[in-house]
């Protein structure tokens, strides 16, 4: 099952943000709470954490792309992680 | 309140405080207030174009440049500029990123008012502006909902050095509190004021002050600049 990585609430729904850079590459394993992507509002960067453990299977937004609260940044497949664990 | 502190040493100290706060899971925060020896840092909004390559100081490698993960563009740090690093647990304090940014800015506006400078923010710019231009910058970062890096306030730095880099892409004139006041602004007064305003804005009613840390050494560094 794939879980989305969402732009978290920042306290202002209309706040424009940009993807600064991905800290994890597609195909790499992540654990809940790992920092996966860095976002940027003018003057402040902040890290978005993995909502679950698994493998990062897709980055939906590229660095420089504008995003807002709730936007899907990427996907983590939890089953793939289970497969890795089982192997 | 730490005097003039090497940037790299302060980074180590910030990381140590951040780990400590993460483990504590309380609302307790730490504020580092210091100046840095001459050094340029470039945040995520910075670019090589801000470092005008024709300057002999850059060519000679006399002025170090660090590319770091804070917000904001390229900034010149030097004595006379106050660096303020709030390490605050935003999640425990119930603050979003927007609240954090707004309270940082309000703290700087209130501090400036206490110094006799009318100041405001400008849309799309991370910093504070007076009648002569921008004198304070936000260059912060948030990791695991704990803030680090922070604010830089030009109190009375050597503006000739500051202008060696193009500090912002919006043609905002760079200035200092002293230039705005047309008299020397007091570093100790600004330091006391910004510390008090930050405590007020972020709801800290108990503060303890320290002027040294075992991990830090005060240093002096000379940089020769071509006139």
């Amino acid at each position: 099952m794939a879980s989305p990585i969402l732009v978290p609430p920042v306290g202002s729904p209309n706040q424009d943000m940009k993807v600064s850079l991905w800290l994890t590459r597609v195909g790499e394993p992540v654990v809940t709470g790992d920092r996966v992507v860095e976002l940027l509002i003018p003057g402040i960067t902040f890290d978005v954490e993995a909502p679950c453990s698994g493998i990062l299977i897709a980055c939906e937004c590229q660095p420089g792309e504008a995003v807002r609260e709730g936007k899907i940044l990427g996907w983590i497949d939890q089953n793939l992680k289970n497969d890795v664990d089982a192997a | 309140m730490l005097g003039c502190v090497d940037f790299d040493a302060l980074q180590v100290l910030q990381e140590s405080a951040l780990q400590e706060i993460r483990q504590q899971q309380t609302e307790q925060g730490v504020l580092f207030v210091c100046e840095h020896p001459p050094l340029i840092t470039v945040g995520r909004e910075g670019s090589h174009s801000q470092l005008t390559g024709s300057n002999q100081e850059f060519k000679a490698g006399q002025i170090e440049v660090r590319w770091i993960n804070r917000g904001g563009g390229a900034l010149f740090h030097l004595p006379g500029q106050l660096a303020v690093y709030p390490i605050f647990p935003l999640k425990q304090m119930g603050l979003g990123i927007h609240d954090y940014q707004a309270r940082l800015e309000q703290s700087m506006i209130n501090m400036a008012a206490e110094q006799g400078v009318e100041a405001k923010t400008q849309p799309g710019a991370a910093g504070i502006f007076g009648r002569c231009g921008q004198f304070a910058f936000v260059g912060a970062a948030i990791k695991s909902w704990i803030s680090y890096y922070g604010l830089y306030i030009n109190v009375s730095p050597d503006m000739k050095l500051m202008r060696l880099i193009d500090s912002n892409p919006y043609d905002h004139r760079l200035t200092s509190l002293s230039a705005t006041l047309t008299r020397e602004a007091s570093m100790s007064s600004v330091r006391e004021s910004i510390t008090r305003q930050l405590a007020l804005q972020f709801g800290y009613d108990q503060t303890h002050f320290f002027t040294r840390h075992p991990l830090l050494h005060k240093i002096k560094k000379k940089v020769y600049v071509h006139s």
Side-chain angles (χ1 to χ4, degrees):
Chain A
M1 186 183 70
S3 298
I5 303 165
L6 301 172
V7 176
V10 295
S12 172
N14 297 324
Q15 174 72 58
D16 285 320
M17 292 170 259
K18 276 199 292 192
V19 176
S20 175
L21 81 160
W22 282 88
L23 304 166
T24 306
R25 280 180 288 194
V26 170
E28 286 184 346
V30 292
V31 174
T32 307
D34 277 356
R35 294 175 292 132
V36 286
V37 55
E38 182 186 275
L39 302 183
L40 176 70
I41 64 173
I44 303 178
T45 61
F46 65 100
D47 297 337
V48 179
E49 297 178 352
C52 58
S53 300
I55 302 285
L56 181 69
I57 55 168
C59 299
E60 300 282 353
C61 301
Q62 297 310 307
E65 200 171 325
V67 293
R68 285 200 173 173
E69 276 186 23
K71 167 96 175 167
I72 294 175
L73 295 164
W75 295 89
I76 294 171
D77 193 320
Q78 293 170 269
N79 295 331
L80 281 178
K81 175 62 180 170
N82 292 340
D83 292 346
V84 170
D85 288 346
Chain B
M1 298 195 182
L2 297 166
C4 194
V5 173
D6 178 61
F7 186 81
D8 293 340
L10 204 281
Q11 271 193 310
V12 171
L13 194 56
Q14 277 197 101
E15 188 59 37
S16 154
L18 205 143
Q19 298 299 344
E20 209 172 296
I21 285 173
R22 182 184 289 162
Q23 285 164 9
Q24 278 177 353
Q25 298 279 318
T26 67
E27 288 186 22
Q28 193 177 328
V30 176
L31 184 68
F32 295 116
V33 182
C34 63
E35 296 168 65
H36 293 303
L39 167 99
I40 292 165
T41 62
V42 188
R44 293 287 197 230
E45 294 165 84
S47 123
H48 279 287
S49 66
Q50 293 182 274
L51 310 174
T52 46
S54 59
N55 288 309
Q56 296 195 35
E57 290 74 27
F58 293 135
K59 283 182 181 172
Q62 282 202 49
I63 299 172
E64 294 173 50
V65 179
R66 299 269 195 287
W67 292 73
I68 58 176
N69 64 334
R70 62 162 172 77
L75 290 174
F76 207 128
H77 308 293
L78 69 168
Q81 179 196 68
L82 195 63
V84 182
Y85 301 113
I87 320 291
F88 291 165
L90 302 183
K91 196 172 182 179
Q92 270 74 28
M93 297 164 84
L95 295 177
I97 293 161
H98 192 258
D99 298 322
Y100 176 64
Q101 185 184 35
R103 290 178 193 212
L104 285 183
E105 289 171 347
Q106 194 57 51
S107 302
M108 288 191 285
I109 290 170
N110 293 352
M111 173 279 296
E114 288 185 350
Q115 301 299 315
V117 172
E118 195 179 325
K120 60 182 181 181
T121 56
Q122 282 193 6
I128 302 297
F129 298 77
R131 62 182 173 82
C132 300
Q134 186 171 10
F135 63 85
F137 304 81
V138 176
I142 294 168
K143 180 157 63 176
S144 305
W145 296 103
I146 300 170
S147 63
Y148 62 113
Y149 291 119
L151 316 172
Y152 301 95
I153 303 165
N154 291 344
V155 180
S156 54
D158 180 345
M159 294 308 292
K160 194 174 74 180
L161 267 179
M162 296 285 288
R163 291 185 179 123
L164 281 177
I165 59 168
D166 176 12
S167 271
N168 61 67
Y170 309 105
D171 275 346
H172 297 148
R173 189 172 186 277
L174 272 187
T175 188
S176 67
L177 281 172
S178 289
T180 308
L181 287 166
T182 62
R183 63 174 166 77
E184 191 74 8
S186 157
M187 178 60 85
S188 58
S189 168
V190 172
R191 204 163 44 202
E192 185 278 325
S193 177
I194 191 66
T195 306
R196 183 166 35 76
Q197 287 297 337
L198 282 166
L200 196 67
Q201 287 294 323
F202 286 91
Y204 285 109
D205 51 10
Q206 284 186 7
T207 49
H208 304 283
F209 293 91
F210 301 92
T211 56
R212 60 177 67 179
H213 192 284
L215 286 177
L216 289 179
H217 304 286
K218 289 184 182 178
I219 63 164
K220 280 185 178 175
K221 188 174 174 182
K222 284 185 178 172
V223 173
Y224 299 97
V225 177
H226 295 266
S227 55

